[in-house]
Amino acid sequence: MTCLSQAIRTVFKGTLLGWLGFATPAYAQTRIFVSPSGSDTQAGTLALPVATLEKALEKVKTAPQNEVHIYLRKGTYYLAKTVRITPHIIGNKRLLISAFQNESVELNGGRKLALRWQKSGDRIWVANVAGEPFEQLYINGKKQVLARYPNYDSTARVFNGTAADAISRTRISRWKNPSGGYLHAIHQHEWGDFHYRITGKSGDTLTYEGGWQNNRPMGIHKNQRFVENIYEELDAPGEWFYDKATQTLSFIPPSGFDLNSAVVDVSRLKSLVELVGTPKTPLRQVRIHGIRLVNTERTFMEPYEPLLRSDWMLYRGAAIYLENTENCRIEACELTHLGGNAILVSRYNRNTSVDGCHIHHIGATAIGFVGDTSAVRSPAFRYEWFVPYADMDLRPGSKNNRYPANCTASDNLIHHTGEIEKQSTGVEISMASDITVRHNTIYQLPRAGINIGDGTWGGHLLEFNDVFDTVLETGDHGSFNSWGRDRFWHPNRKTMDSLAAAHPELIKLDAQKPVVIRNNRFRCDHGWDIDLDDGSSNYIIFNNVLLNGGLKFREGFYRTAENNVIVNNSFHPHVWFKNSEDVFRKNIVMRPYFPIQIAHWGKEIDHNLFPDQTALQKAQQNGTDLHSQFGDPQYINPEQGDYRVAQISPALAAGFQNFPMNQFGVQKASLRVLARSPKLPQLSNDRKESNVTEKTWLGIRIRNVNGLGDRSAFGLPDEKGIVVLTVPKESKLATSGLQKDDVIRTINGTDVATIAQLESIQQQLHFMSTIPVGVMRNQRIIDIQLPMK
């Protein structure tokens, strides 16, 4: 057992014993009972329960024992307001809130409606609904579709249906008063999404506000967009619309639907439970166990804040919200039908754990561990921003303690998240330290399954997770994704090269402790299985099975990948530094490497197994893999997901060691029976890399953009364009400002995807002395005039 493993086991054992002690009968306990049939005038005993959780909490502080258990009896509790638990309310008591004897208990953030339906026209039924407006409607427990265009399509890849003409003049002209409607769209480069509230129209021109949900504001996608909450789009069974002015709910029921007997709930609260202390008096030792939490309002138009220079913006709220807490625990809960985040561990929290929960069908992120930017030294908040070295705080680590540390997410089943917000994930870590993510099964997500947004401050452990069916509605991402746009990082690569070379001490000022990713199984069919993007540094990655997308290292330092199985793919090194200290050894790859802009190959790239001699020799031409082997890895049972190798495997000769293949994902029996498993790949015999032909054009060397690797390396919105390989001084284009590694995207205002298109348009413009082109450089479009004569 390694020292790291022993330390982890010791910490986990201590935490577990502490919580077992919390529940042991050896402690004297005060027991308070709550029931939907109770009364707040009663004593709160089993025979005479109170009716609300708020009343039960009022009794905690004055309870005679130090340990208090609040037991909720079977039923649904519609919350009139968010349940807020603070030290002021409960004092220094150790508090458990739990379902009594595993009874079915639901905390509902909506309200139940008793409606009198009347038919209006051929298909629409209407009812009066007084009170607060709402944006989520559930009938008989099933979420209904807010009136939208295009209509809901369960088979559509993005947003359940999108259309390029969603806000066309023709469509806008049909709307009498679209104020209060919404425009939703994917990011122009598919790096998340944007949301806008429609404020009105002038003629057939729409006015709207919003777009603050993504930290890379580069415009919305021209095709992947839809509108909703507009009355004229109420035209399909299952759709509804609520008119705030007249307080009228309109609904088109599906065929055979009995509205008179239907149970109708609508959303109300944005947060169900908040565990909140103060910096001087943290809330301690509160445990929530075995409760179902449902129905929160959508939050995509709430104020957002940037998470440093990552692509993310954050709404700092959730169905369960924790801030300024110590030793609090959320366990065995189900969270579903939520309009935003499920659980957010925000700012100062220590030893928080989320264990054994089922989180599914929610609007945004399942579990977030997110610190405050005030804890970061010399923070920059946009991709293109940078704090000059002369102005930089050069002290290592954090400025204060307003961040989560020593927290855990374990044994959770997480799926169907990000139903509204696509810049979301299963587990988000940002501005945090020593977070453990263990034995979770995570799937069916629009973007990453696990995301680390920055290098501050490392020490995280990700192990035994099963993450798949990711990046389903976006692009250029991975099942695991990280960014490391920390103090050493600069958006201009040339500036960053010189800065990191002159001041290597900057590299670990934020990424102080290594992030360990081990014994996981990842599969991404729309990106990389593991994607270490933009400066991600100080990672140790070993004993992982990567089922489809391979492993990417881009711009970073001190990364070691060892003893991983990369099925049907390979290693993707992108844009490395001269002294990266990167290591890739004792791994099994089934394709040649896919390097992009690599002049320096790190500290050690060796002792790996390649599929054939050609792939090995190609690697050795780069000066790597002197001791690597090639041949069939001889997997024991790949059809059943067992990628251990036989004793005769050449992988063992290369240095690879077998590791267990049966410990991935959730282990809790009740959740394991519900969890899906990833589709196992059929081993491919096609081991050839793409054949990219270079060409000389106007004295420079160019080639077509080649797949996802180029898209990521050059920061492109898609896989189109022409890469500039060299611009010789003697070429006619040398004085134009065109540079090596520019990607030509447009010529004379027309998009170009290939060299053939570029040459065709050039011929049509033969009469022009200069031709304007748009090139992508440092993830920005630069306009250049190319001399033709």
Side-chain angles (χ1 to χ4, degrees):
M1 183 183 298
T2 66
C3 294
L4 179 61
S5 298
Q6 182 62 56
I8 292 165
R9 290 176 182 270
T10 301
V11 170
F12 183 65
K13 181 179 179 182
T15 304
L16 179 61
L17 289 176
W19 279 106
L20 288 174
F22 184 99
T24 179
Y27 287 94
Q29 306 166 2
T30 296
R31 303 201 303 170
I32 303 170
F33 290 86
V34 187
S35 171
S37 61
S39 170
D40 281 350
T41 62
Q42 296 182 157
T45 63
L46 180 60
L48 297 171
V50 296
T52 65
L53 187 52
E54 288 81 4
K55 178 56 67 174
L57 287 168
E58 288 178 12
K59 297 177 178 291
V60 172
K61 193 171 185 179
T62 57
Q65 281 82 29
N66 188 50
E67 183 170 325
V68 181
H69 291 191
I70 295 177
Y71 288 115
L72 301 176
R73 301 302 308 273
K74 179 179 180 180
T76 298
Y77 296 80
Y78 288 93
L79 302 179
K81 60 181 180 179
T82 300
V83 176
R84 189 174 176 88
I85 303 174
T86 68
H88 175 74
I89 292 174
I90 69 169
N92 61 355
K93 306 293 186 180
R94 296 157 60 94
L95 176 63
L96 165 68
I97 301 175
S98 176
F100 180 64
Q101 295 184 350
N102 295 318
E103 291 181 350
S104 178
V105 171
E106 178 178 287
L107 297 184
N108 193 311
R111 53 190 177 118
K112 186 176 181 179
L113 304 180
L115 302 179
R116 298 181 62 183
W117 292 98
Q118 294 181 327
K119 197 168 186 181
S120 175
D122 293 336
R123 297 191 297 166
I124 297 176
W125 291 73
V126 298
N128 180 259
V129 181
E132 304 167 73
F134 49 90
E135 293 189 356
Q136 300 214 97
L137 171 71
Y138 295 90
I139 298 183
N140 296 334
K142 182 179 179 181
K143 183 179 177 180
Q144 305 302 310
V145 177
L146 185 54
R148 53 169 286 162
Y149 174 80
N151 288 335
Y152 183 93
D153 178 1
S154 62
T155 67
R157 186 179 76 86
V158 178
F159 280 132
N160 295 118
T162 57
D165 68 340
I167 53 172
S168 67
R169 292 180 179 273
T170 300
R171 184 151 295 276
I172 293 170
S173 67
R174 300 173 61 245
W175 304 335
K176 181 179 179 181
N177 180 18
S179 177
Y182 295 106
L183 165 64
H184 307 272
I186 293 297
H187 188 283
Q188 183 183 85
H189 288 213
E190 299 185 342
W191 297 337
D193 54 339
F194 296 104
H195 307 270
Y196 303 86
R197 179 185 293 111
I198 297 171
T199 56
K201 71 171 189 174
S202 176
D204 54 6
T205 300
L206 207 61
T207 58
Y208 47 87
E209 61 184 6
W212 50 69
Q213 305 87 356
N214 193 294
N215 205 24
R216 303 291 297 277
M218 303 171 72
I220 66 175
H221 200 283
K222 61 183 179 181
N223 297 317
Q224 295 173 1
R225 51 178 74 173
F226 81 101
V227 292
E228 66 170 355
N229 201 33
I230 297 172
Y231 180 77
E232 285 80 5
E233 302 302 343
L234 179 64
D235 59 1
E239 286 192 345
W240 64 277
F241 177 82
Y242 179 67
D243 189 320
K244 298 177 185 179
T246 64
Q247 296 188 322
T248 301
L249 171 62
S250 300
F251 178 59
I252 301 178
S255 177
F257 200 88
D258 183 7
L259 276 179
N260 292 323
S261 62
V263 177
V264 181
D265 286 354
V266 295
S267 54
R268 184 179 187 182
L269 303 177
K270 297 182 180 70
S271 180
L272 302 180
V273 179
E274 295 181 352
L275 308 182
V276 180
T278 68
K280 292 185 178 180
T281 309
L283 180 69
R284 296 187 172 97
Q285 300 188 101
V286 174
R287 176 183 171 201
I288 299 176
H289 177 90
I291 296 173
R292 188 172 192 258
L293 300 102
V294 304
N295 201 354
T296 55
E297 187 57 278
R298 305 193 302 179
T299 57
F300 58 82
M301 291 304 297
E302 293 299 306
Y304 277 63
E305 60 183 86
L307 298 185
L308 300 183
R309 283 189 285 196
S310 80
D311 292 1
W312 286 60
M313 303 287 281
L314 174 78
Y315 165 60
R316 203 172 283 273
I320 301 180
Y321 181 84
L322 301 94
E323 183 171 332
N324 292 321
T325 76
E326 295 176 358
N327 299 297
C328 290
R329 183 168 183 148
I330 312 299
E331 63 179 14
C333 291
E334 180 183 8
L335 295 96
T336 187
H337 296 326
L338 305 176
N341 302 318
I343 300 173
L344 184 60
V345 182
S346 172
R347 302 190 174 101
Y348 176 82
N349 290 271
R350 295 296 182 271
N351 303 310
T352 303
S353 61
V354 180
D355 299 322
C357 292
H358 186 192
I359 305 173
H360 61 103
H361 295 93
I362 64 171
T365 289
I367 303 171
F369 299 96
V370 182
D372 192 85
T373 55
S374 69
V376 182
R377 299 185 187 277
S378 298
F381 296 101
R382 286 274 293 274
Y383 175 90
E384 64 272 19
W385 292 1
F386 178 74
V387 178
Y389 180 80
D391 300 331
M392 195 179 293
D393 183 342
L394 298 177
R395 288 169 291 182
S398 61
K399 289 175 64 176
N400 58 46
N401 65 359
R402 300 188 69 197
Y403 59 89
N406 302 114
C407 299
T408 302
S410 66
D411 217 15
N412 300 290
L413 174 57
I414 299 169
H415 59 96
H416 292 86
T417 70
E419 292 190 322
I420 303 169
E421 301 176 46
K422 307 309 175 184
Q423 188 65 284
S424 58
T425 187
V427 179
E428 167 68 9
I429 301 171
S430 177
M431 296 171 288
S433 176
D434 299 284
I435 307 300
T436 296
V437 182
R438 173 191 292 123
H439 276 305
N440 301 282
T441 296
I442 305 173
Y443 58 88
Q444 202 68 31
L445 306 101
R447 204 140 172 77
I450 302 173
N451 187 82
I452 297 180
D454 45 70
T456 52
W457 288 271
H460 314 308
L461 173 63
L462 280 56
E463 64 177 357
F464 300 110
N465 299 288
D466 202 7
V467 186
F468 54 97
D469 288 351
T470 59
V471 196
L472 295 179
E473 300 182 61
T474 58
D476 193 7
H477 214 49
S479 284
F480 169 81
N481 177 83
S482 63
W483 291 291
R485 300 167 187 164
D486 304 321
R487 275 178 273 185
F488 80 87
W489 196 87
H490 193 283
N492 185 299
R493 178 55 199 263
K494 292 182 179 179
T495 303
M496 183 162 48
D497 277 341
S498 58
L499 181 66
H503 302 286
E505 71 279 1
L506 291 177
I507 296 162
K508 291 187 178 180
L509 290 183
D510 296 305
Q512 292 183 288
K513 293 177 281 188
V515 175
V516 177
I517 304 177
R518 66 182 187 188
N519 296 100
N520 303 279
R521 183 169 62 182
F522 294 103
R523 174 164 184 161
C524 186
D525 291 66
H526 308 278
W528 289 272
D529 296 332
I530 295 180
D531 181 1
L532 268 59
D533 208 0
D534 286 0
S536 299
S537 298
N538 207 1
Y539 277 75
I540 300 172
I541 301 172
F542 66 96
N543 288 9
N544 299 282
V545 175
L546 310 186
L547 290 175
N548 186 75
L551 170 64
K552 183 185 110 183
F553 283 4
R554 177 187 169 119
E555 290 170 333
F557 295 87
Y558 303 108
R559 298 169 294 190
T560 296
E562 185 171 12
N563 215 69
N564 301 285
V565 177
I566 305 180
V567 181
N568 289 350
N569 211 306
S570 190
F571 185 38
H572 296 252
H574 292 180
V575 200
W576 281 12
F577 292 94
K578 182 177 181 180
N579 298 309
S580 69
E581 298 296 314
D582 285 337
V583 174
F584 184 81
R585 65 187 171 207
K586 301 179 183 179
N587 302 283
I588 299 174
V589 301
M590 296 179 64
R591 297 283 190 278
Y593 297 155
F594 292 94
I596 297 179
Q597 300 184 55
I598 298 295
H600 309 283
W601 278 89
K603 179 180 179 180
E604 180 184 356
I605 314 294
D606 205 355
H607 298 282
N608 301 294
L609 180 68
F610 286 82
D612 51 47
Q613 188 173 15
T614 300
L616 173 58
Q617 289 175 342
K618 184 173 178 60
Q620 290 175 338
Q621 291 172 7
N622 295 314
T624 68
D625 293 284
L626 178 62
H627 304 96
S628 292
Q629 307 284 320
F630 69 89
D632 188 336
Q634 298 287 330
Y635 296 130
I636 290 177
N637 192 356
E639 294 80 9
Q640 298 299 318
D642 188 348
Y643 298 98
R644 292 176 298 164
V645 300
Q647 290 301 312
I648 60 172
S649 171
L652 299 178
F656 179 83
Q657 297 181 16
N658 281 319
F659 56 93
M661 298 279 169
N662 59 354
Q663 301 175 7
F664 306 121
V666 66
Q667 301 297 295
K668 184 178 179 181
S670 61
L671 296 180
R672 194 170 181 85
V673 73
L674 298 176
R676 282 177 42 205
S677 295
K679 180 181 179 182
L680 297 174
Q682 181 178 353
L683 298 186
S684 173
N685 294 321
D686 179 13
R687 294 172 178 166
K688 296 179 181 179
E689 60 182 329
S690 297
N691 182 20
V692 180
T693 303
E694 297 182 13
K695 186 169 185 177
T696 298
W697 178 71
L698 298 180
I700 67 174
R701 294 292 288 175
I702 58 177
R703 67 168 174 83
N704 290 333
V705 165
N706 179 34
L708 183 61
D710 277 352
R711 177 179 180 178
S712 174
F714 296 105
L716 305 177
D718 48 39
E719 298 173 15
K720 301 176 183 178
I722 299 97
V723 179
V724 177
L725 300 174
T726 62
V727 185
K729 292 182 179 179
E730 62 273 16
S731 74
K732 69 166 60 178
L733 304 186
T735 60
S736 67
L738 193 67
Q739 297 180 9
K740 177 180 180 294
D741 297 326
D742 283 347
V743 180
I744 300 172
R745 298 280 298 174
T746 65
I747 178 168
N748 200 36
T750 301
D751 293 343
V752 288
T754 65
I755 292 174
Q757 288 181 307
L758 178 69
E759 292 179 323
S760 175
I761 296 175
Q762 176 205 355
Q763 291 174 1
Q764 297 172 32
L765 304 175
H766 62 88
F767 57 90
M768 298 176 64
S769 59
T770 61
I771 296 179
V773 300
V775 302
M776 184 70 75
R777 181 188 301 165
N778 293 322
Q779 301 192 18
R780 292 183 180 182
I781 288 291
I782 306 294
D783 294 322
I784 293 175
Q785 295 287 332
L786 298 185
M788 295 291 107
K789 298 179 181 179

